[in-house]
Amino acid sequence: MKRRTLLAGIAAGAAMPALPSAPAIAQGAAARTLRFVPQANLASLDPIWSTAVVVRNHGLMVYDTLYGLGSDFRPRPQMAAGHEITDDGRRWTITLRPGLRFHDGEPVRAADCVASIRRWAKRDVLGQRLDALLDEIRAVDDTRFEMRIKKPWPGLAFAFGKPSANMCAIMPERVARTDPFTQITETIGSGPFRFLADQFRPGDRVAYERFAQYQPRQEPVDFLAGGKVVHFDRVEWIVMPDPSTASAALQNNEADWWETPLPDLLPLLRRNRDITVDLVNTAGNLGVMRFNFLHPPFDNPAVRRALLPAVDQTAFMNAAMGTDPSLFRVPAGAFTPGTPLANDAGLEVLSAPRDIEAARRMLREAGYRNERVVMLSATDLPVLQSLAEVAADLLRRVGFNVDLQAMDWGTHIQRRTNRGPVDQGGWSLFCTTWEGLDVSVPGSHQPIRGHGAPAWAGWPTIPRLEELREAWFEAPDLAAERRIAEEMQRVVWQEVPFIPLGQVLPSMAYRRSITGVVKGGPALFWGVRRA
């Protein structure tokens, strides 16, 4: 369904029939239940295996982390009581705070943390750096574990506490021993909410209940740091791929909070005195076009570069977010606009006047042989679907033989793990968004990595980007970091592991009776209460 064709009849959403109800909840408990419409179906339950934002959001509810970032994005102890750094920065000893328990009643032990870190270190971009530096990680006793690394890494606590994919979710040792490239089959965390597996209906509803044995830190909440105090007994995620249905549910008080309202519906929602429309995630998301480096035609860098003169970031943002300039930012380079490492190095490849003829000429010179290009599109995420439709049209105009394949987001996530050619179920490219915090620095920027098989879907091998990333970890000051970021951006224009499509600044919408929404990043469910 096209973004703008949804509008007819939506204004009458309040008159739409009531949605099918969830399992009956006692009337007295209804006020203690938060009804949330997530951005997509929850197709995976493993926040270490998946990079999907919806899976990360699930993970932040169920699992806890050793550290949490405050609103200043500096790490503070969360599950950790604290740590000691010795041996010239090469030995970390982390002590767990008392009272930590998993949802099955078992205490959290140092051995659980060790197993969870080992699994996470195989999947996450910062975890992989720890994996390369690690000489030893071991439990000293039930409350302490020790890491010996080859050289100092002051950013290790940040890596453990970052909220972005892949998050370092602490799981029971038996679960964390699952192969990092296989999804877990048991969802047991120690976070403020317990996942109700018996009430999980994929594609429909996800239910969580407040974990009564969770002991928040005795500190004020500050983003992901401080005390995660929960005021609702139950949280229900109600999956509504159709924006008109979600809009009606919010207006009819059948939902309390909609994570990703369609931009065209924001004026309607703002006119409703019972609804608040708010920019919660101020870093936004960076739209990216991602290529498969393993198979033709995008295994050829000249073919990838051929698209640069044709990509019109404003056209992508207008299709995804509408024409309201407060909902997006262009031009966007390799790093999140508005953050310290965003820069203009070589940005004219995207900000100069667009030239389709130049793109066609470059494609011919690159030796493109009319190979079928399979592009994946997520139909239940309107922003991503709009980006995919603009991209498919652009590729066709440049001269590509495009096969646009539509599917739901859960299928999309599974499909893009296929490393085979397109005639064996593989793919050529897709469009998605990455959270602004993730792609603001080289360390956590998955699209910019060039380490081959372990890399994010697309699997590029670009040694120069890896060298520059490692140099960034060693940078003595912000000026040195900026010089490295500029050079990395120049390499991006040459090797094209991805093409930035613009910065999305999405709003959330929630009933005015909902207060205490934590600002600065993803949807968080502690601190929130009903007035």
Side-chain angles (χ1 to χ4, degrees):
M1 184 178 292
K2 296 291 194 298
R3 186 171 62 84
R4 299 194 182 278
T5 60
L6 291 167
L7 296 179
I10 287 180
M16 296 180 68
L19 299 168
S21 62
I25 301 174
Q27 187 171 5
R32 298 191 301 274
T33 298
L34 179 67
R35 303 158 300 175
F36 177 74
V37 181
Q39 61 177 260
N41 177 38
L42 184 64
S44 170
L45 300 175
D46 190 343
I48 291 178
W49 180 88
S50 175
T51 61
V53 171
V54 68
V55 181
R56 187 280 315 275
N57 291 352
H58 157 83
L60 289 173
M61 296 182 71
V62 174
Y63 300 97
D64 215 344
T65 53
L66 292 166
Y67 296 83
L69 301 190
S71 55
D72 57 359
F73 299 117
R74 295 184 179 274
R76 302 176 196 170
Q78 186 50 252
M79 295 177 73
H83 62 259
E84 182 183 11
I85 304 175
T86 57
D87 194 15
D88 295 326
R90 292 177 295 171
R91 186 187 303 267
W92 285 59
T93 303
I94 296 179
T95 301
L96 298 177
R97 65 183 174 94
L100 300 175
R101 289 197 173 273
F102 286 114
H103 300 156
D104 59 4
E106 292 295 315
V108 178
R109 302 167 301 127
D112 302 307
C113 300
V114 168
S116 297
I117 290 170
R118 281 177 171 155
R119 184 169 186 263
W120 165 79
K122 300 296 184 183
R123 295 302 304 255
D124 180 68
V125 286
L126 295 183
Q128 288 164 355
R129 184 170 197 266
L130 174 62
D131 197 40
L133 291 178
L134 200 60
D135 280 334
E136 182 186 25
I137 180 170
R138 67 182 184 93
V140 177
D141 52 36
D142 280 351
T143 62
R144 293 179 301 155
F145 66 95
E146 177 184 272
M147 292 171 291
R148 290 190 302 108
I149 54 180
K150 293 179 176 63
K151 58 183 178 180
W153 184 14
L156 184 54
F158 177 91
F160 285 150
K162 68 181 180 67
S164 50
N166 308 79
M167 63 175 285
C168 188
I170 301 302
M171 305 174 176
E173 181 181 18
R174 68 180 187 278
V175 179
R177 286 185 172 179
T178 303
D179 184 289
F181 296 90
T182 301
Q183 295 189 65
I184 59 174
T185 58
E186 184 180 12
T187 304
I188 299 290
S190 64
F193 290 95
R194 186 170 72 89
F195 172 69
L196 301 178
D198 60 335
Q199 298 181 34
F200 180 38
R201 303 204 302 256
D204 181 17
R205 291 180 189 267
V206 193
Y208 307 86
E209 69 177 8
R210 182 175 63 86
F211 180 42
Q213 292 180 276
Y214 182 76
Q215 296 184 18
R217 297 186 70 91
Q218 298 303 303
E219 304 162 4
V221 65
D222 182 18
F223 191 35
L224 293 161
K228 299 177 181 179
V229 179
V230 172
H231 300 290
F232 286 95
D233 292 340
R234 179 182 173 95
V235 175
E236 291 184 350
W237 288 15
I238 309 170
V239 180
M240 298 182 189
D242 175 29
S244 61
T245 303
S247 175
L250 191 65
Q251 294 178 78
N252 289 337
N253 197 21
E254 294 168 341
D256 298 304
W257 188 352
W258 185 10
E259 185 180 10
T260 52
L262 198 68
D264 278 341
L265 297 180
L266 294 179
L268 170 67
L269 297 175
R270 288 190 179 106
R271 289 195 296 270
N272 190 316
R273 67 181 62 186
D274 295 323
I275 294 173
T276 297
V277 176
D278 202 0
L279 176 62
V280 175
N281 185 352
T282 52
N285 306 305
L286 184 69
V288 301
M289 183 187 299
R290 180 66 163 186
F291 305 98
N292 189 332
F293 275 55
L294 301 184
H295 303 287
F298 294 119
D299 60 340
N300 181 349
V303 171
R304 300 192 298 270
R305 283 195 296 269
L307 281 168
L308 291 174
V311 168
D312 182 348
Q313 290 186 335
T314 300
F316 278 94
M317 291 296 98
N318 286 167
M321 302 301 294
T323 57
D324 182 348
S326 69
L327 298 178
F328 63 88
R329 186 181 298 177
V330 297
F335 298 95
T336 306
T339 61
L341 299 190
N343 64 84
D344 295 333
L347 192 56
E348 61 273 9
V349 300
L350 292 175
S351 61
R354 302 293 78 199
D355 191 340
I356 288 285
E357 288 304 321
R360 290 170 178 162
R361 182 179 66 255
M362 291 172 65
L363 185 62
R364 289 193 301 270
E365 293 172 352
Y368 174 63
R369 298 182 178 87
N370 201 43
E371 295 99 335
R372 182 165 64 104
V373 169
V374 171
M375 182 164 197
L376 307 183
S377 172
T379 57
D380 52 345
L381 291 179
V383 168
L384 300 195
Q385 184 182 15
S386 296
L387 295 179
E389 289 174 349
V390 173
D393 175 69
L394 175 66
L395 265 70
R396 290 186 181 111
R397 288 188 289 123
V398 170
F400 287 93
N401 175 16
V402 178
D403 178 6
L404 180 62
Q405 298 189 7
M407 60 202 71
D408 64 82
W409 179 236
T411 304
H412 182 288
I413 293 172
Q414 299 287 342
R415 175 74 176 276
R416 73 188 192 197
T417 65
N418 188 328
R419 301 187 187 216
V422 295
D423 58 0
Q424 295 178 18
W427 55 275
S428 307
L429 78 161
F430 62 86
C431 294
T432 190
T433 58
W434 272 92
E435 287 207 337
L437 178 61
D438 287 358
V439 294
S440 63
V441 295
S444 57
H445 197 315
Q446 294 217 40
I448 212 169
R449 299 243 17 215
H451 58 312
W456 179 51
W459 312 286
T461 298
I462 308 173
R464 181 57 179 155
L465 286 177
E466 291 298 292
E467 293 169 4
L468 289 167
R469 178 177 181 266
E470 188 60 28
W472 175 81
F473 282 115
E474 307 291 338
D477 52 39
L478 181 58
E481 290 185 41
R482 286 173 172 164
R483 288 194 295 272
I484 293 166
E486 290 173 358
E487 180 60 23
M488 293 186 83
Q489 183 160 292
R490 293 187 186 97
V491 176
V492 166
W493 308 140
Q494 286 299 311
E495 299 291 341
V496 200
F498 69 98
I499 297 179
L501 302 177
Q503 183 186 26
V504 175
L505 298 172
S507 295
M508 297 186 189
Y510 46 89
R511 304 283 300 181
R512 289 193 182 276
S513 58
I514 300 301
T515 63
V517 173
V518 179
K519 302 293 183 67
L524 301 174
F525 297 92
W526 47 84
V528 181
R529 65 175 75 222
R530 195 183 303 277

